[in-house]
Amino acid sequence: MSSETPSVASVSAAAAPSREDEFDIVIIGAGFSGLGMLKRARDAGFSACVFETADDVGGTWYWNRYPGACCDSESIVYSFSFDDNLLDEWEWKSRYPSQSEVLGYLGHVADKFDLRRDIRLETRVTAATVDTDSGMWTIETDAGEKVTSRYLITAVGCLSASQLPDIPGIDSFEGVHHHTGQWPHEGVDFTGQRVAVIGTGSTGIQIIPEIAKEAEHLWVFQRTPNFSMPARNRPLTDAERERFKRDFHAIREEAKHTPTGNLFYLDERSTFDVDERERQEWFKAGWEAGGLKLLFAGYHDLLTNEEANRTAADFVRGKIAEIVMDPATAEKLMPRDHPLGTKRPPIDTGYFETYNRPNVSLVDLRETPIKEITPTGIRTAAEDFELDAIVFATGFDAMTGALSKIDIRTEDGIRLADKWADGPQTYLGLMSAGFPNLFTITGPGSPSVLSNMPVSIEQHIEFIGDLIDHLQAHGLTRVEAAVEAEAEWTEFVDQLASETLMPRANSWYMGANTPGKPHRFLPYVGGVGEYRERCAQIAADGYPGFTFANANAVAEVKS
Ligand code: NA7
């Protein structure tokens, strides 16, 4: 949008509230998505405002500052790609960036592009109501503000609504207790303390080795053992850093078209195309390379064929048996109730080795469930544990949790949360019928959490930005997902997932970790590259599946 073009809000405004109460675009959240979207909106000449609950930018990297917090995508692909200067001046230190490094990067992005002036920190959006005829949104905050906006874009993150477990007595504990997703800025000193960690997902697997170094004793309360693979994190060499800068665009272009947005390609061979010896060598090479290579650059049928999956799962179980010295503990740490990769696969630094420490014990909650939390500790079916601190690494209401915390509704009182009561319904994970001019960056039904997030986030930002430009260029102000397109997409997302092993686990991908949530596979398994091509084709074809209307919402047109 050129600077001469009147803003969409000024075109449609009936009364004339003060400028700061009326925007072309309101964005919720100032993490990767919100910062990138703000930059894109501003570059296109739109007035935009970001609301952010925290007192600084960073999103998930602001909140998850627990010891050991680290990204599990490699730094070379974990960044914005829209600005060459940004690329040139930023130096990633390690193969996988730590939480503080990513947070520093996002702060730098906000400063470099002067984004902060359009971000209202410490302000939670509580409600957003759309006039379905015009598509205009009214947004309310906990600061008592009320603003209007032509477009509302949620950039709330897929894993931001942290969840405490529903354990009796949880409020009675008198010691130190924190959820990893809301870690105190000043840190927590566990030196000489008796500590419990509940949860062995990606977060638990990162924090457990760190706490074990400080605590007098650490008890890990495990409900489901997890397949974890060594990250093999290390400092980047100068030569690597130089190569990354030199070849960045080619590398990024490549990542955009892979299944996961990382530099992984599935092997063309099936698991049983090769003999046992070759297969073992291949798994070993993946394990030694570190990260998720074994799975995402492995045989192409690992996530679709149960027997194939079992070969890789057996390999990882064998590694657990090799690393953990006590056979009984090793056995308890071996996942047997879900195929490899069907829960979010963690990568770790010394996770299984931690159980060889004399100050670490594993409590298997399948054998001895937690009965209650008491003022002094945790009571299981077998034992009382006296504790100074409890760490809840118990995860998030994933993909829909942060959205459902906002009262998103139409003026007629139809709530998005009610519409999604049996599972989210979206077109491309981007829009939901009945809620015009609302976009959900990395929403349910998009590749999102099955991918390297910045690659997926940038693709959504580009798609949404181009779609809004398209509206502007055609004198249109209202866009909505068509009901039929949404139904087809939702069905397609389900169908694709059902062709894989992914729905076999009680995972947060399935909503299974949140009491009362319907069990539906939430992200799109078709892959980042394939999804990108679909979206590009839809844009090239004039956006079939979306319906458009002009400024006065009189004539609905299909582009
Ligand atoms: P996850 O992956 O949801 O892991 C949460 C863990 O907490 C998992 O082991 C759960 O066991 C466990 N949990 C949850 N509730 C309970 C109760 N009530 N009792 C015992 N154990 C419980 O969250 P993370 O924070 O580790 O990771 C989330 C994502 O953030 C991660 O994948 C990255 O993408 C970043 P369960 O498996 O449900 O039996």
Side-chain angles (χ1 to χ4, degrees):
M1 181 173 145
S2 77
S3 54
E4 290 83 13
T5 315
S7 80
V8 287
S10 61
V11 166
S12 58
S18 72
R19 185 67 200 149
E20 65 192 15
D21 292 337
E22 185 180 305
F23 299 95
D24 297 330
I25 298 177
V26 160
I27 299 160
I28 310 176
F32 252 105
S33 314
L35 294 176
M37 194 70 237
L38 173 59
K39 174 80 169 66
R40 174 66 172 79
R42 217 195 247 174
D43 287 350
F46 293 106
S47 64
C49 173
V50 176
F51 290 104
E52 166 58 55
T53 307
D55 65 7
D56 202 353
V57 302
T60 199
W61 299 107
Y62 172 95
W63 296 104
N64 286 273
R65 48 182 81 208
Y66 57 85
C70 191
C71 184
D72 51 13
S73 288
E74 298 200 28
S75 43
I76 178 58
V77 282
Y78 203 79
S79 63
F80 287 117
S81 67
F82 62 78
D83 186 274
D84 282 353
N85 288 332
L86 174 64
L87 172 67
D88 283 342
E89 68 201 15
W90 187 260
E91 295 285 348
W92 291 108
K93 297 192 189 81
S94 318
R95 178 179 179 186
Y96 300 96
S98 66
Q99 172 272 332
S100 62
E101 222 184 332
V102 185
L103 187 61
Y105 172 75
L106 292 172
H108 174 70
V109 169
D111 292 335
K112 178 177 173 66
F113 300 107
D114 189 24
L115 297 178
R116 293 180 193 274
R117 68 183 153 88
D118 288 326
I119 302 174
R120 299 189 189 177
L121 297 170
E122 295 183 82
T123 312
R124 176 183 287 281
V125 171
T126 52
T129 309
V130 66
D131 173 344
T132 45
D133 288 339
S134 69
M136 284 296 289
W137 284 86
T138 301
I139 294 114
E140 294 168 63
T141 75
D142 62 356
E145 287 167 294
K146 209 179 223 192
V147 303
T148 58
S149 181
R150 168 61 63 195
Y151 302 105
L152 176 62
I153 303 178
T154 64
V156 293
C158 297
L159 294 152
S160 44
S162 57
Q163 245 175 200
L164 285 170
D166 187 14
I167 300 175
I170 188 164
D171 294 329
S172 70
F173 183 61
E174 288 169 357
V176 171
H177 50 103
H178 297 288
H179 190 286
T180 48
Q182 294 181 344
W183 203 254
H185 288 207
E186 64 280 12
V188 183
D189 183 5
F190 292 108
T191 310
Q193 303 238 304
R194 299 161 302 170
V195 185
V197 172
I198 302 180
T200 51
S202 296
T203 301
I205 281 172
Q206 288 185 340
I207 199 172
I208 284 163
E210 296 303 314
I211 295 180
K213 290 176 196 161
E214 287 184 0
E216 179 194 301
H217 201 93
L218 169 64
W219 287 270
V220 176
F221 289 77
Q222 170 190 274
R223 188 164 68 183
T224 310
N226 223 325
F227 292 102
S228 185
M229 288 168 256
R232 308 214 188 279
N233 201 4
R234 56 171 176 77
L236 291 172
T237 63
D238 290 346
E240 279 173 323
R241 277 203 288 264
E242 274 166 34
R243 186 178 75 77
F244 286 173
K245 287 201 174 169
R246 194 183 60 235
D247 299 341
F248 178 83
H249 291 294
I251 290 170
R252 186 53 166 247
E253 196 51 35
E254 193 181 325
K256 284 177 177 179
H257 299 282
T258 64
T260 62
N262 289 294
L263 299 178
F264 292 139
Y265 294 95
L266 288 173
D267 197 276
E268 283 174 2
R269 292 167 299 174
S270 301
T271 306
F272 298 111
D273 285 349
V274 299
D275 64 23
E276 174 68 11
R277 192 192 51 79
E278 188 175 345
R279 204 162 40 242
Q280 291 304 316
E281 286 303 316
W282 183 247
F283 290 150
K284 196 169 156 217
W287 180 271
E288 292 305 326
L292 295 174
K293 200 152 189 254
L294 188 154
L295 188 62
F296 293 134
Y299 301 116
H300 71 80
D301 55 351
L302 285 179
L303 285 172
T304 50
N305 177 330
E306 199 167 347
E307 284 307 310
N309 188 286
R310 197 187 322 275
T311 62
D314 281 344
F315 175 85
V316 177
R317 283 188 283 260
K319 285 290 175 191
I320 297 171
E322 267 175 37
I323 297 169
V324 180
M325 280 147 58
D326 173 42
T329 304
E331 182 56 38
K332 286 178 186 166
L333 287 165
M334 290 180 200
R336 297 197 184 274
D337 70 344
H338 62 278
L340 172 67
T342 57
K343 273 177 174 284
R344 173 67 144 72
I347 60 175
D348 70 86
T349 300
Y351 173 64
F352 291 116
E353 289 83 348
T354 297
Y355 293 93
N356 294 333
R357 296 177 66 108
N359 69 331
V360 176
S361 309
L362 182 66
V363 182
D364 185 344
L365 298 181
R366 302 263 185 225
E367 285 176 1
T368 56
I370 296 178
K371 290 288 179 205
E372 62 175 324
I373 292 179
T374 67
T376 55
I378 294 177
R379 176 168 300 145
T380 68
E383 207 175 327
D384 272 5
F385 295 86
E386 294 290 310
L387 300 166
D388 302 303
I390 302 178
V391 172
F392 295 101
T394 45
F396 304 87
D397 181 352
M399 304 219 52
T400 55
L403 283 173
S404 59
K405 278 187 177 173
I406 306 166
D407 186 10
I408 296 173
R409 59 169 68 215
T410 68
E411 276 187 344
D412 301 337
I414 298 167
R415 299 175 67 239
L416 184 67
D418 291 340
K419 182 187 167 188
W420 287 6
D422 293 331
Q425 298 163 61
T426 69
Y427 180 40
L428 300 171
L430 274 163
M431 295 200 89
S432 195
F435 296 87
N437 293 1
L438 169 69
F439 298 97
T440 49
I441 298 182
T442 62
S446 74
S448 58
V449 291
L450 296 180
S451 71
N452 170 32
M453 290 302 272
V455 169
S456 282
I457 286 168
E458 278 200 329
Q459 188 262 333
H460 266 189
I461 290 170
E462 285 159 19
F463 187 90
I464 295 166
D466 291 351
L467 180 49
I468 293 177
D469 289 348
H470 172 86
L471 283 145
Q472 188 73 7
H474 291 82
L476 300 163
T477 54
R478 184 187 184 283
V479 57
E480 184 180 350
V483 173
E484 317 79 57
E486 172 176 285
E488 267 175 39
W489 183 257
T490 304
E491 164 82 34
F492 183 54
V493 169
D494 271 352
Q495 174 62 32
L496 281 189
S498 72
E499 291 168 10
T500 73
L501 302 173
M502 298 301 282
R504 298 278 188 92
N506 282 327
S507 66
W508 55 256
Y509 294 141
M510 290 290 293
N513 66 326
T514 301
K517 199 164 168 175
H519 288 205
R520 285 264 305 276
F521 196 78
L522 296 166
Y524 174 73
V525 295
V528 166
E530 192 267 358
Y531 176 84
R532 174 181 295 273
E533 278 163 32
R534 259 173 209 284
C535 288
Q537 193 60 51
I538 287 168
D541 292 347
Y543 298 102
F546 294 96
T547 60
F548 295 94
N550 69 12
N552 299 313
V554 180
E556 284 230 328
V557 291
K558 269 203 171 156
S559 180

